[in-house]
Amino acid sequence: MFKIIVTGPESSGKTTLCKELSKYFKKSFAKEYAREYLQNLNRDYTKQDLIKIAKKQLDLEKESTLLDTDLVTIKIWSNYKYGNCNKWITNQIKKQKKEKRFYLLCKPDIKWEKDPLRENPNNRLELYKIYKEEITNLKHDYYIVKAKNRSIKIISKMLIKNSFI
């Protein structure tokens, strides 16, 4: 099954874009499980929480072709915050290299929106570069979503033209 993953650093419009694509193509999407998990956590999260988040996120991926994030985000998050990533997560990402995955990489060129779960208002461009490098290294196709091409019409035409939908 083909997967379209909307990804990028915090407050780059991922969820908004995912909702718009879901509505436009009349397809459900797999939500970012980390948000649900962290909202229900009554303490600061730890590196051990990331494996729980990753396992549930992977389960959610099986139910949809449109994803509001994936394990790559958890890997980047873990490496950035803790300096490394759990092997289970990296092994799952390696397995996904065989899958048909297309990334819509959201550039953080829109206004930052404050949110209690967001941690990185000042280094979004640095994180964006990490996302781009990670996706490139995985050899998955991707399209950079910038403020000027954020139109659902432009993105949907590109997805249809390239047989992603």
Side-chain angles (χ1 to χ4, degrees):
M1 178 187 297
F2 200 87
K3 302 282 183 189
I4 297 170
I5 301 97
V6 181
T7 195
E10 296 173 329
S11 195
S12 59
K14 299 178 300 290
T15 301
T16 299
L17 178 58
C18 217
K19 288 177 181 177
E20 289 173 354
L21 289 169
S22 174
K23 183 177 178 182
Y24 186 86
F25 289 110
K26 296 176 178 56
K27 291 182 174 279
S28 63
F29 70 96
K31 294 181 181 178
E32 178 186 15
Y33 179 67
R35 180 161 287 280
E36 178 184 333
Y37 182 89
L38 295 174
Q39 285 174 333
N40 293 313
L41 199 61
N42 294 321
R43 59 174 170 75
D44 289 341
Y45 71 90
T46 66
K47 185 179 174 194
Q48 289 71 34
D49 289 308
L50 298 183
I51 191 69
K52 294 174 187 174
I53 293 167
K55 287 181 177 185
K56 180 64 176 181
Q57 188 68 46
L58 189 61
D59 284 343
L60 292 173
E61 279 192 26
K62 295 172 185 172
E63 300 169 12
S64 184
T65 57
L66 180 60
L67 314 175
D68 181 2
T69 204
D70 71 346
L71 297 183
V72 171
T73 294
I74 299 170
K75 177 185 175 188
I76 291 169
W77 188 10
S78 184
N79 284 335
Y80 197 80
K81 186 165 178 117
Y82 299 107
N84 57 44
C85 184
N86 182 289
K87 289 272 189 221
W88 184 89
I89 296 170
T90 57
N91 286 338
Q92 296 306 310
I93 292 169
K94 285 178 189 173
K95 289 178 187 177
Q96 292 173 337
K97 285 176 82 171
K98 298 174 187 174
E99 297 176 5
K100 293 179 183 178
R101 299 174 80 81
F102 181 77
Y103 286 81
L104 292 170
L105 176 57
C106 296
K107 190 168 186 178
D109 57 355
I110 59 175
K111 185 180 176 190
W112 167 266
E113 290 187 21
K114 189 173 171 77
D115 179 311
L117 296 178
R118 294 184 177 146
E119 301 175 1
N120 300 298
N122 301 316
N123 55 356
R124 295 187 302 154
L125 195 52
E126 175 188 357
L127 286 162
Y128 167 79
K129 291 175 183 176
I130 294 169
Y131 275 88
K132 187 174 179 184
E133 183 179 328
E134 186 70 32
I135 294 166
T136 300
N137 289 341
L138 290 169
K139 300 186 180 353
H140 290 300
D141 291 328
Y142 65 94
Y143 175 78
I144 297 173
V145 179
K146 299 178 185 176
K148 66 181 179 183
N149 69 356
R150 203 168 284 270
S151 158
I152 197 68
K153 288 182 181 178
I154 292 171
I155 295 168
S156 62
K157 283 181 184 177
M158 182 275 306
L159 290 172
I160 293 167
K161 177 182 170 191
N162 291 292
S163 301
F164 297 127
I165 295 263

